[in-house]
Amino acid sequence: MEKFPLKGTTNLTLASANSNHPLSVADHTSYQAVSSKTAKAANSTRGGVNTTSLTHPEPLGPAPVVYPTGGGEADEDNMIDITPGNGGVTNPNYPYHTSSNGPGTRQDGVGGVSSATHSIGGGGSGSEGSGNGRGNTGAGGSAGHEGISPTHNRFGRDFHHSDHEGISFAGMTDTSDDIPGIGQYEDFHTIDWQRDIARDRMRHRYIMKKRQDSFLDLLKGAHDAWSGWVCVLLVGLFTGCVAGVIDIGASWMTDLKFGICPQAFWLNREQCCWSSNETSFDSGNCSQWYAWSEIFTSSREGFGAYVISYFFYIMWAMLFALLAASLVRMFAPYACGSGIPEIKTILSGFIIRSYLGKWTLIIKSVGIMLSVSAGLSLGKEGPMVHIASCIGNILSYLFPKYGRNEAKKREILSAAAAAGVSVAFGAPIGGVLFSLEEVSYYFPLKTLWRSFFCALIAAFILRSINPFGNEHSVLFYVEYNKPWIFFELVPFIGLGIIGGVIATVFIKANLWWCRFRKYSKLGQYPVSEVLIVTFITAVIAYPNPYTRMNTSELIFLLFSQCGISNQDPLCDYNRNFTDVNSAIEIAAAGPGVYKAVWLLILALAMKLIMTIFTFGMKVPCGLFIPSLALGAITGRVVGIAMEQLAYNYPKIWIFSGECSTGDDCITPGLYAMVGAAAVLGGVTRMTVSLVVIMFELTGGVRYIVPLMAAAMASKWVGDALGRQGIYDAHIALNGYPFLDSKDEFQHTTLAADVMQPKRNETLAVITQDSMTVDDIETLLKETEHNGYPVVVSKENQYLVGFVPRRDLNLALANARRIIDGITGQSLVIFTSAQPVQNLGPSPLKLKKILDMAPITVTDQTPMETVVDMFRKLGLRQTLVTHNGRLLGVITKKDVLRHVKQMDNEDPNTVLFN
């Protein structure tokens, strides 16, 4: 891996000082310099982003202009002339100490038509050298050299093709299209948000300018404007269709473990019974549906029938699990797990090739049906986010605006994640909030609108398919007709505390097991592990009716109210249903209820233990449904206890008289719903989106306050007992470079403490006009950095720009292939000026791949500011300067390692960058 991969964004250059240039400094106050008359400090801004560590700036005013003189044509591609020349206009804020070497020279050797950029926030009195072993290149007494106005060539005016070559960001010009792959990224690398967004803005300005030329260009402009909406429309359509197929397939295969419909084998148990004329079914069975024991023994009861049913249950579960694990291992290793930790990392700007590819989509879709059908303690809702993101990634390539720009593509992926939750639960608003709160890293307002539209379309398509076979598009629709009483907030908050404890136990145990799997021989046998866990799960689950049934059916049962048609032991109350005109009065629990409570407690323990070992296996597996099941079991048990308390002691003051009339004042199903929200909130640390998902999921809008109380209590307890939710914990376990915007950096270190290289080490740099092709190829072979700063010369390491390693490799290979006369001795030039001597082979000009605006900070910038820049600007790296002279670089990996080191964690767990 790279030692400290360098990757570029924004430092400011004087692109043109010509007063008659169409982008003259006087016309653009947005890029004025902050002059310091006291010659102490100055800062520079770009696009409204202040990246300074200085104090006492003067108010913004007209920027001084410096006319290049003394040996170079004054065009926009020349670098800054930092020398006073005869007849030139001298910057009053830039007092030079000239030497006896002649006019136009400086004591530090920077003379003639020199090139340099100036760090954001640089300043201070000039000191000779910096003590880092990089030559005598101090600022030679210059106290305020930042007074020169840094301007961007191509921001804010009409786009002229003749001006086009002066664009500052690497990979932004049309000429870069001559070199395939410029501006793209390697696998396991971080994207450069600033460069990609700037490239898109430049492309958009070009299209808007060309729109006036012809009707075809007008159509291209309209297509570009609508392409985002069209893309999310297609994502919603395909996500809804795929979700419908998964729901139907998983339902059919789950019922296949219990029996078959001989007349039409493709129907599940419920659909098979639709054609029956019977008015009631025993445990959901009808004469049209044949259990496996009935096929082989012509009986549904008895010891032999039980053994045969048990055997087929285990056999089908093992077969489905074997198929799921084998498909994942052979065709798409990335299709395992939930996918949400990786989606969060990808949306934060990380590249994981093939994670959102077509094979992952196909295998994940098939594999999640098989995994759920195997009866494992997992759900299909989390993987639906991964599946929807795969669809969004694939469809984005139909629109080059998104397919060729990684930053723009993440807007589509955010909308796709919202659609995934929308179809998983039938909760489109909750899906949008989930994408905003939990998954997305960069979420502008237009992405919010598109996510809402995408989730709406996906939910509409799923409702049209109607995989649940009812009039509701939500998974666990319930109808409670009793309001909650004020005192119930106490047990609701208690459920939140219990949920936080259960979630913390689960997270810590699951992390321990995943770490053991990762570093032991067990990780070498993923299929065997899946089969062992499936076998144990099936053997334990079948005897208990609450673990034998599908988990979604169990949650629906626990959420439901007891009525006349409900035959489950949970509803074994001593009630009189003969008088239909009177309300169903609260009654004593029968023996069936107590038996059901004990079975539910056993189911809770079994599901908690098996989910710990299941989540993280090499099969598609989600965590939403198991978490909801754990919480629903807990909540139902607490609800029954409260119900019996109200029945036996109706006169107690805490019930405020609501229960003294004999009416049913306590709803156990409501407690199950609140408990489900509590455990899921503790596991994932969701709050707002969780509450919205829960009331969309159940239709229980009037119970928002109990859900909010339980969710907050659960989050507080979870944060107190363990800092991270399950997804953030798995991101840290896998070593993904993820800077969580919710964490705060509270340490008092400086940029100089973190930058690479350290003291007494050399920094690999490229000079702007004195290195040959062989020199650069040798540098590429001997170092593994992801990019290189370009400086004036080895002796005068004033920053010119930054060039990414990938772009440099591509440019050299392309030049050798198509340009005649390029040899190993050809000079590589990153300026527009001609070389002093042209006796050798023709030079290779690579200014078009140079990022002339890399973001820089001074060595005294607090790391708190640097970390905020990395989070909010999405930086790959920032360059560190002192008095305008390059000292080193801070990459995202350096920041992550430093944060871990400050938190007393192992910094070497950050694997990629």
Side-chain angles (χ1 to χ4, degrees):
M1 301 308 297
E2 296 78 23
K3 296 176 184 175
F4 49 96
L6 316 177
K7 309 160 190 175
T9 34
T10 347
N11 186 359
L12 304 173
T13 68
L14 181 60
S16 173
N18 206 338
S19 61
N20 58 8
H21 191 276
L23 289 174
S24 61
V25 179
D27 292 339
H28 293 276
T29 57
S30 60
Y31 290 101
Q32 293 167 355
V34 181
S35 305
S36 176
K37 294 181 180 180
T38 58
K40 287 185 179 180
N43 68 52
S44 302
T45 60
R46 171 184 158 302
V49 178
N50 190 336
T51 51
T52 179
S53 61
L54 300 183
T55 57
H56 309 301
E58 292 291 323
L60 291 176
V65 177
V66 179
Y67 290 91
T69 59
E73 184 179 351
D75 61 28
E76 63 173 294
D77 287 330
N78 276 334
M79 301 298 167
I80 301 173
D81 181 359
I82 57 174
T83 64
N86 295 332
V89 180
T90 304
N91 184 351
N93 290 331
Y94 205 110
Y96 304 110
H97 289 270
T98 55
S99 68
S100 59
N101 295 335
T105 60
R106 288 174 54 186
Q107 287 179 348
D108 59 5
V110 182
V113 183
S114 307
S115 303
T117 55
H118 295 281
S119 70
I120 298 175
S125 61
S127 60
E128 200 69 13
S130 67
N132 273 358
R134 277 189 277 287
N136 184 17
T137 56
S142 64
H145 63 278
E146 295 82 6
I148 297 178
S149 168
T151 62
H152 282 271
N153 312 24
R154 296 278 69 83
F155 290 87
R157 271 291 182 92
D158 291 343
F159 192 98
H160 298 288
H161 185 71
S162 60
D163 301 332
H164 192 29
E165 293 182 359
I167 296 174
S168 297
F169 284 84
M172 282 174 56
T173 67
D174 285 345
T175 54
S176 66
D177 294 337
D178 299 337
I179 307 174
I182 289 289
Q184 300 301 309
Y185 303 95
E186 301 285 353
D187 199 9
F188 292 121
H189 281 222
T190 304
I191 73 169
D192 190 336
W193 289 89
Q194 294 296 303
R195 182 175 73 162
D196 282 2
I197 292 172
R199 284 174 58 212
D200 181 71
R201 287 173 182 160
M202 187 54 57
R203 181 200 55 77
H204 179 70
R205 289 192 184 100
Y206 179 73
I207 290 175
M208 291 299 102
K209 175 65 178 176
K210 295 284 289 181
R211 203 166 54 168
Q212 305 171 5
D213 295 348
S214 67
F215 181 71
L216 181 61
D217 289 321
L218 182 64
L219 289 180
K220 288 181 180 178
H223 173 266
D224 181 75
W226 282 95
S227 59
W229 292 100
V230 175
C231 188
V232 295
L233 170 66
L234 294 176
V235 171
L237 290 172
F238 279 93
T239 302
C241 293
V242 171
V245 171
I246 290 174
D247 287 335
I248 293 170
S251 174
W252 175 73
M253 285 192 285
T254 299
D255 287 342
L256 196 60
K257 293 187 300 181
F258 301 99
I260 195 169
C261 190
Q263 296 178 346
F265 70 90
W266 58 87
L267 297 178
N268 62 22
R269 178 163 51 188
E270 184 180 4
Q271 293 165 340
C272 184
C273 292
W274 284 348
S275 60
S276 175
N277 294 323
E278 299 168 53
T279 57
S280 64
F281 310 131
D282 179 23
S283 300
N285 295 321
C286 59
S287 58
Q288 306 289 339
W289 175 263
Y290 284 79
W292 293 113
S293 59
E294 197 172 0
I295 294 175
F296 288 93
T297 65
S298 300
S299 173
R300 294 189 181 183
E301 305 296 335
F303 178 76
Y306 184 85
V307 170
I308 290 176
S309 298
Y310 204 161
F311 171 77
F312 271 93
Y313 182 89
I314 296 173
M315 185 198 72
W316 282 111
M318 297 286 287
L319 178 62
F320 291 150
L322 177 63
L323 280 173
S326 300
L327 287 173
V328 167
R329 185 178 185 183
M330 289 189 293
F331 296 105
Y334 283 150
C336 65
S338 168
I340 292 181
E342 287 77 10
I343 297 298
K344 285 186 69 170
T345 308
I346 289 171
L347 287 176
S348 74
F350 194 55
I351 303 289
I352 307 179
R353 298 285 178 212
S354 302
Y355 197 84
L356 302 177
K358 58 181 181 300
W359 275 110
T360 305
L361 169 63
I362 295 170
I363 300 303
K364 188 102 177 185
S365 302
V366 176
I368 193 59
M369 289 189 284
L370 293 166
S371 299
V372 171
S373 305
L376 289 167
S377 184
L378 49 82
K380 61 180 182 293
E381 281 64 29
M384 280 304 306
V385 176
H386 187 187
I387 290 169
S389 298
C390 290
I391 294 172
N393 177 65
I394 293 168
L395 291 177
S396 68
Y397 286 101
L398 299 176
F399 306 89
K401 174 181 178 180
Y402 297 99
R404 296 176 59 184
N405 191 310
E406 293 291 343
K408 294 291 291 180
K409 184 191 294 182
R410 272 142 185 81
E411 296 178 14
I412 302 298
L413 297 181
S414 293
V421 176
S422 173
V423 296
F425 294 112
I429 301 174
V432 176
L433 292 175
F434 175 81
S435 180
L436 170 63
E437 180 183 3
E438 188 64 25
V439 180
S440 296
Y441 201 81
Y442 173 66
F443 206 81
L445 192 58
K446 63 181 177 181
T447 303
L448 176 68
W449 299 334
R450 288 174 181 165
S451 299
F452 183 80
F453 179 66
C454 189
L456 166 70
I457 296 297
F460 172 76
I461 295 299
L462 187 66
R463 179 67 185 88
S464 302
I465 297 173
N466 194 16
F468 305 124
N470 57 32
E471 71 274 16
H472 305 296
S473 60
V474 297
L475 199 54
F476 311 118
Y477 187 79
V478 293
E479 289 181 299
Y480 303 139
N481 51 16
K482 295 289 182 182
W484 55 280
I485 58 180
F486 182 76
F487 177 77
E488 285 184 292
L489 276 179
V490 175
F492 290 153
I493 294 173
L495 278 174
I497 295 172
I498 296 172
V501 173
I502 292 175
T504 304
V505 170
F506 167 75
I507 292 172
K508 291 185 179 297
N510 179 253
L511 279 180
W512 174 84
W513 178 251
C514 289
R515 200 172 286 113
F516 172 78
R517 178 194 293 127
K518 186 175 182 179
Y519 298 111
S520 68
K521 288 188 176 181
L522 180 64
Q524 302 173 14
Y525 306 99
V527 178
S528 302
E529 181 194 5
V530 170
L531 291 177
I532 292 171
V533 172
T534 304
F535 179 77
I536 295 173
T537 303
V539 169
I540 297 175
Y542 190 83
N544 189 336
Y546 296 116
T547 52
R548 182 194 314 168
M549 68 172 62
N550 186 10
T551 310
S552 296
E553 294 177 10
L554 172 63
I555 296 171
F556 181 72
L557 173 66
L558 295 171
F559 282 4
S560 300
Q561 276 187 296
C562 288
I564 299 175
S565 61
N566 199 324
Q567 303 295 321
D568 193 86
L570 269 176
C571 296
D572 182 20
Y573 290 94
N574 299 322
R575 285 173 176 158
N576 180 15
F577 293 111
T578 56
D579 187 0
V580 295
N581 294 321
S582 65
I584 300 174
E585 294 183 351
I586 192 168
V593 174
Y594 293 106
K595 179 182 178 183
V597 166
W598 285 111
L599 289 174
L600 284 175
I601 292 173
L602 290 175
L604 174 68
M606 177 262 179
K607 283 193 170 293
L608 177 61
I609 294 171
M610 296 316 300
T611 307
I612 289 170
F613 291 100
T614 302
F615 188 72
M617 289 196 312
K618 299 304 180 185
V619 291
C621 52
L623 203 55
F624 281 164
I625 290 297
S627 301
L628 289 173
L630 293 173
I633 293 172
T634 306
R636 186 77 183 202
V637 172
V638 173
I640 292 173
M642 286 294 296
E643 183 185 47
Q644 293 307 300
L645 183 66
Y647 171 73
N648 291 309
Y649 305 99
K651 304 297 183 181
I652 297 181
W653 64 270
I654 59 175
F655 296 113
S656 305
E658 281 90 346
C659 300
S660 60
T661 60
D663 289 340
D664 192 358
C665 62
I666 303 293
T667 307
L670 172 60
Y671 285 77
M673 188 169 77
V674 172
V679 174
L680 182 57
V683 169
T684 62
R685 299 292 199 273
M686 296 190 303
T687 51
V688 180
S689 56
L690 171 68
V691 172
V692 175
I693 286 174
M694 287 305 298
F695 80 71
E696 279 192 282
L697 192 64
T698 60
V701 184
R702 66 164 66 179
Y703 303 109
I704 291 178
V705 172
L707 290 171
M708 291 174 68
M712 284 309 304
S714 174
K715 177 175 171 54
W716 285 335
V717 171
D719 288 342
L721 299 178
R723 198 178 51 167
Q724 293 177 315
I726 188 68
Y727 300 133
D728 293 332
H730 275 265
I731 287 173
L733 178 66
N734 293 326
Y736 297 134
F738 180 76
L739 266 176
D740 194 347
S741 57
K742 296 188 287 289
D743 290 342
E744 293 184 4
F745 185 84
Q746 300 176 338
H747 309 289
T748 57
T749 50
L750 300 177
D753 302 325
V754 183
M755 71 176 187
Q756 298 284 354
K758 300 299 183 185
R759 304 289 181 182
N760 302 321
E761 297 178 10
T762 57
L763 174 64
V765 296
I766 296 175
T767 58
Q768 65 176 357
D769 55 7
S770 60
M771 291 182 70
T772 64
V773 171
D774 282 346
D775 293 337
I776 290 182
E777 288 182 340
T778 301
L779 181 67
L780 290 170
K781 290 177 182 176
E782 292 178 351
T783 60
E784 297 179 343
H785 312 323
N786 277 345
Y788 302 91
V790 178
V791 295
V792 175
S793 66
K794 291 286 188 182
E795 295 76 24
N796 301 305
Q797 293 198 357
Y798 288 98
L799 187 62
V800 174
F802 182 87
V803 58
R805 178 190 187 92
R806 174 186 169 89
D807 292 1
L808 191 58
N809 269 320
L810 290 170
L812 290 177
N814 186 70
R816 285 189 179 276
R817 188 174 67 251
I818 66 173
I819 301 178
D820 294 332
I822 297 296
T823 67
Q825 300 305 312
S826 298
L827 282 177
V828 179
I829 299 176
F830 291 93
T831 70
S832 298
Q834 293 295 329
V836 178
Q837 58 174 349
N838 199 14
L839 303 177
S842 57
L844 173 60
K845 292 188 175 183
L846 294 183
K847 182 172 180 193
K848 61 187 176 185
I849 69 167
L850 178 66
D851 182 357
M852 294 174 61
I855 283 183
T856 66
V857 296
T858 66
D859 53 348
Q860 297 302 306
T861 304
M863 274 307 295
E864 186 176 2
T865 303
V866 175
V867 171
D868 272 346
M869 289 169 60
F870 272 89
R871 284 175 179 158
K872 296 173 182 176
L873 296 180
L875 304 185
R876 299 177 82 187
Q877 87 293 312
T878 181
L879 303 178
V880 183
T881 61
H882 178 74
N883 291 346
R885 180 171 172 270
L886 180 67
L887 292 185
V889 63
I890 300 175
T891 67
K892 190 174 182 181
K893 178 187 274 189
D894 296 328
V895 172
L896 287 161
R897 285 178 167 168
H898 181 67
V899 170
K900 285 189 174 292
Q901 207 166 13
M902 292 292 101
D903 293 338
N904 296 318
E905 298 177 17
D906 183 10
N908 294 320
T909 55
V910 183
L911 300 179
F912 311 117
N913 199 13

